[in-house]
Amino acid sequence: MARSGYRPAPRELDPINKVASGIRGSIRLSVGMTYHGIHLLSNIMAAAKIAKVEIELNGDIIKTYTGVQLKMLEAFKMQESEDGRYVIPFANLDARNVGGIMSGALVTYPEDSLIMYVTFGDLTGIDDPWLSARAHWMANTTPRLFIPRAYETTVLLPKAGMNVLNWERNPLKAISRLHMKPDAGTLKRLEIKRDNYVEFESDIADINFDLKTVGGNFSKKAPQAGYLHFDPTASGFNEKGLFPTAAAESLKFNLTGSVAGQAVTILVEELESVPQPQA
């Protein structure tokens, strides 16, 4: 029988080198395969005690999450969640087709260096804390077309009402999702203009309704309390919905906040195109 062209399989990963309060442990990951996701399993049940998870590819940190952010993403995507299990996403399991699923997967080559770091918070009160890891992977079927990235940034909204944010213009990058959370008050509206052309405009109530409906029953999302989510892939056709950050002159995100002086933490999920050799 021929082997399936799409069959991610589970694999146990090497043990982390250390687990203790305030420690940054690490696991060197196998390469030469395509990663769909990595699961951390632990008796550390409180997500806040997983201070940071980082994925480093060839010396470049490509993904950074907190334990709380990983749990938020599971809830947003309406995916199964267990205390003590933290899922680092690569493939888009909420996509409607294989192309959309694979657009977020991480292709690695035999010559790559791939390391996962886990920084622990205060583990006082946890008897003999431990952490193991497993991955879902498959053999490479394509070259590395994208590098999936995730990182946190913070912006200040100095006034109540609309504030203009100049987003980085980059022809190689496209936004998968933005998860915006203010430290006070609420975010009420988002408008996006590329070179003075309106690309997106919606109040928070409409944004949340669309997230629940535009993906149908398969790709519907659950907006999280306190967040404004910008999800151009919400339809479930992820590779088609990506929001490119290329612009000739400007890419402006106009955020409307309820109070002055809001510090907004943004979890950015994006794909960076990898230039391919010319034939």
Side-chain angles (χ1 to χ4, degrees), residues 10-244:
R11 168 182 285 190
E12 294 182 353
L13 302 177
D14 290 340
I16 193 166
N17 61 350
K18 46 193 169 183
V19 179
S21 294
I23 291 295
R24 187 193 196 212
S26 64
I27 304 173
R28 184 169 291 276
L29 304 176
S30 299
V31 291
M33 63 190 72
T34 298
Y35 280 87
H36 285 248
I38 296 175
H39 293 212
L40 305 181
L41 292 84
S42 177
N43 63 344
I44 303 171
M45 300 299 179
K49 293 183 180 294
I50 303 293
K52 186 184 293 185
V53 179
E54 301 163 285
I55 304 294
E56 179 188 88
L57 175 65
N58 298 329
D60 178 21
I61 299 294
I62 63 170
K63 279 183 176 271
T64 302
Y65 300 101
T66 66
V68 171
Q69 288 170 340
L70 291 174
K71 288 300 181 183
M72 180 275 292
L73 291 175
E74 291 174 10
F76 173 73
K77 298 175 187 177
M78 302 178 68
Q79 294 176 346
E80 190 68 27
S81 181
E82 294 180 358
D83 291 341
R85 185 186 295 265
Y86 305 91
V87 180
I88 297 95
F90 286 101
N92 302 301
L93 301 182
D94 53 335
R96 291 174 181 253
N97 56 13
V98 172
I101 293 171
M102 292 293 291
S103 65
L106 177 63
V107 175
T108 66
Y109 299 138
E111 63 271 21
D112 283 338
S113 170
L114 188 65
I115 304 173
M116 179 170 61
Y117 299 99
V118 181
T119 302
F120 301 95
D122 184 0
L123 304 184
T124 301
I126 302 176
D127 293 333
D128 192 21
W130 57 269
L131 182 143
S132 63
R134 61 195 293 267
H136 283 94
W137 68 282
M138 60 184 285
N140 291 343
T141 58
T142 67
R144 186 156 60 217
L145 303 177
F146 301 101
I147 295 176
R149 294 188 177 273
Y151 61 91
E152 180 183 295
T153 188
T154 301
V155 298
L156 179 67
L157 306 186
K159 62 182 181 180
M162 190 179 75
N163 295 262
V164 179
L165 308 177
N166 288 299
W167 200 265
E168 176 195 11
R169 292 175 288 146
N170 189 324
L172 295 179
K173 292 184 176 181
I175 294 170
S176 301
R177 298 184 179 101
L178 302 178
H179 309 276
M180 311 180 199
K181 186 175 178 63
D183 65 343
T186 59
L187 298 177
K188 302 170 66 176
R189 181 177 175 83
L190 174 63
E191 302 173 5
I192 305 175
K193 292 185 178 181
R194 189 194 316 270
D195 299 328
N196 295 317
Y197 176 81
V198 176
E199 294 268 4
F200 181 95
E201 55 181 353
S202 195
D203 294 331
I204 184 68
D206 292 327
I207 290 173
N208 288 345
F209 183 83
D210 290 346
L211 288 170
K212 297 173 186 177
T213 56
V214 298
N217 288 331
F218 185 83
S219 296
K220 68 190 300 183
K221 302 298 186 294
Q224 297 299 289
Y227 283 87
L228 187 154
H229 305 276
F230 170 59
D231 186 355
T233 69
S235 68
F237 297 101
N238 293 50
E239 79 280 27
K240 301 295 185 182
L242 292 166
F243 185 85

